[in-house]
Amino acid sequence: MRWIQHIQRAIRATLSALAASHQATASIGIAYYDPDCQDKFPARPGDMLRMAELAVRSAKASGGGRLAFYDAETSRHAEDALQLEQDLGEALERAELYVVLQAQVAPGGLLAGAEALLRWQHATRGAISPGQFIPLAEDTGQIVQIGAWVLEQALETLAVMQRHDPDLTVSVNVSPVQILRAEFIDEVAVQLERTAVDPSGLILEITENVFMDEPHLAGEQLGALRALGIKISIDDFGTGYSSLTYLKRLPVHELKIDQSFIKGLPDDAADSALVKIILSAAGELKLRVVAEGVELPSQAQFFEKLPNVFLQGFLFDRPIAVNQWYERWLQ
Ligand code: C2E
Ligand code: MG
Ligand code: MG
């Protein structure tokens, strides 16, 4: 086992010399061939490599910089993830991904716009929730291609919506992986031009952790997006760990109160206090607010008569296919 530690140490030393400020570690996965257990262990090199790859995934999953042996039981999970990742890579081509829309309602009850939400209908596994495949796509970088496709779809939708009513908006979720790429700005600009929409109808939803990871770069990117005429919304507001100073410095237009705070309204004292704090901060900073996950009339009533609060949730609309949504809301 000592030679494995030698490898890890050598890699660490070499990489720290090359990149002074970065800590690099090596995860190692080991598969071994035991001629006495031929029934248990296949001897084909391809199988051995796959086993080693699954083992290295276990090593990474347990925190990185570690060592893991192939083990059929724990590798089943890794194998599943690997398969899902490969399937996701082909999902766009196979037309298994599609966008649904969920209405957002203005104070007074009129339609304000919609949020675009991604869906994956897997050929054999059925519907896979975005909560499961978006983090996977972020880890593998596939979110860059998938997110660009979602944006294209959403802007085509916005073009239809704006022909109907120029004030309608479409909100698109954007992952930190996408927004922190320098190329993102040009890609958005190209799509805005292609679809000839009024950019002020496009709202990009980002989460607070963008500011934790890369505060400077995130600020620059948001500034560039603002210069294109686009609006920025902070999704799941109140659930992150970032400092609030970014609200002061950055061109943020909207806060989306996370549905976990809406759940307890109007009776839960803590939820209602927190929501009031968010509303008051948003009021001072002149930000628009969207309450998401509104399911009950009593929750909607909590926000009644507040001029700048928009509502989104099952009470008004379930996320539905784009054409169905047009029929329901634009006619
Ligand atoms: P999110 O952006 O916060 O979206 C709101 C989620 O709440 C959606 O779940 C929506 O279906 C659900 N929802 C809406 N109204 C209600 C309600 O009244 N009650 C309850 N219980 N839930 C409600 P969904 O579609 O499963 O999406 C989950 C998350 O996946 C999204 O959270 C977003 O973070 C991410 N996501 C979805 N589509 C995309 C995408 O195209 N790109 C990226 N990067 N992330 C996406
Ligand atoms: Mg969202
Ligand atoms: Mg949210």
Side-chain angles (χ1 to χ4, degrees):
M1 230 22 73
R2 188 157 287 174
W3 60 271
I4 294 171
Q5 286 167 355
H6 280 316
I7 295 177
Q8 282 180 313
R9 223 172 282 138
I11 288 175
R12 208 175 299 140
T14 317
L15 289 176
S16 18
L18 287 172
S21 61
H22 290 282
Q23 258 286 334
T25 55
S27 301
I28 297 184
I30 299 179
Y32 58 89
Y33 173 61
D34 182 349
D36 293 337
C37 311
Q38 291 224 32
D39 50 332
K40 266 208 214 135
F41 294 106
R44 282 184 311 203
D47 290 336
M48 296 298 292
L49 279 175
R50 186 164 175 90
M51 286 155 70
E53 186 172 345
L54 291 170
V56 89
R57 277 172 177 259
S58 306
K60 281 186 194 162
S62 62
R66 295 182 197 203
L67 163 72
F69 286 93
Y70 172 80
D71 159 70
E73 204 51 48
T74 54
S75 291
R76 199 161 305 141
H77 186 74
E79 186 137 32
D80 205 48
L82 188 62
Q83 186 60 51
L84 203 63
E85 184 184 315
Q86 281 169 5
D87 292 350
L88 186 56
E90 292 161 16
L92 256 184
E93 249 170 62
R94 294 194 194 159
E96 291 177 357
L97 298 180
Y98 63 100
V99 169
V100 292
L101 297 177
Q102 184 180 33
Q104 295 180 333
V105 175
L110 286 178
L111 177 70
E115 177 173 5
L117 294 158
L118 186 57
R119 293 289 177 265
W120 182 11
Q121 187 65 31
H122 188 283
T124 54
R125 299 187 198 211
I128 300 178
S129 86
Q132 192 182 349
F133 72 82
I134 296 285
L136 177 71
E138 289 177 331
D139 282 350
T140 59
Q142 290 162 313
I143 194 68
V144 170
Q145 196 197 359
I146 293 174
W149 180 81
V150 171
L151 184 70
E152 279 175 43
Q153 304 295 304
L155 284 174
E156 280 163 23
T157 295
L158 181 63
V160 174
M161 284 160 72
Q162 285 182 338
R163 277 200 288 279
H164 187 85
D165 173 350
D167 291 331
L168 293 178
T169 60
V170 72
S171 300
V172 183
N173 295 284
V174 178
S175 137
V177 181
Q178 292 172 267
I179 210 147
L180 295 176
R181 283 173 64 246
E183 303 88 335
F184 183 68
I185 311 298
D186 284 343
E187 290 166 6
V188 173
V190 166
Q191 289 304 324
L192 286 172
E193 202 168 37
R194 181 182 70 87
T195 49
V197 297
D198 171 358
S200 68
L202 175 63
I203 302 175
L204 297 185
E205 295 190 3
I206 59 176
T207 47
E208 292 160 276
N209 42 9
V210 177
F211 307 114
M212 277 204 338
D213 301 344
E214 293 277 356
H216 187 71
L217 181 56
E220 280 182 357
Q221 293 288 87
L222 293 198
L225 290 168
R226 174 59 159 250
L228 292 177
I230 291 170
K231 297 187 172 115
I232 302 293
S233 171
I234 308 296
D235 203 356
D236 307 336
F237 184 75
T239 59
Y241 294 98
S242 69
S243 112
L244 290 181
T245 52
Y246 71 82
L247 286 182
K248 180 173 77 171
R249 286 189 296 110
L250 297 177
V252 170
H253 174 80
E254 171 186 285
L255 303 181
K256 289 191 88 171
I257 307 181
D258 190 64
Q259 51 191 58
S260 59
F261 301 114
I262 307 298
K263 234 181 212 121
L265 296 184
D267 298 326
D268 184 285
D271 279 346
S272 119
L274 289 170
V275 168
K276 282 178 187 156
I277 290 171
I278 296 175
L279 291 175
S280 137
E284 294 292 327
L285 295 165
K286 306 214 166 24
L287 302 175
R288 188 177 114 136
V289 172
V290 176
E292 65 176 340
V294 177
E295 294 181 353
L296 305 171
S298 55
Q299 293 166 341
Q301 270 152 25
F302 185 91
F303 298 102
E304 230 169 35
K305 301 198 183 74
L306 293 172
N308 244 342
V309 184
F310 294 66
L311 305 180
Q312 179 182 350
F314 295 165
L315 178 65
F316 306 96
D317 197 15
R318 294 249 164 193
I320 47 176
V322 173
N323 284 328
Q324 227 181 323
W325 193 91
Y326 291 159
E327 260 169 49
R328 174 160 186 202
W329 289 94
L330 299 187
Q331 274 159 27

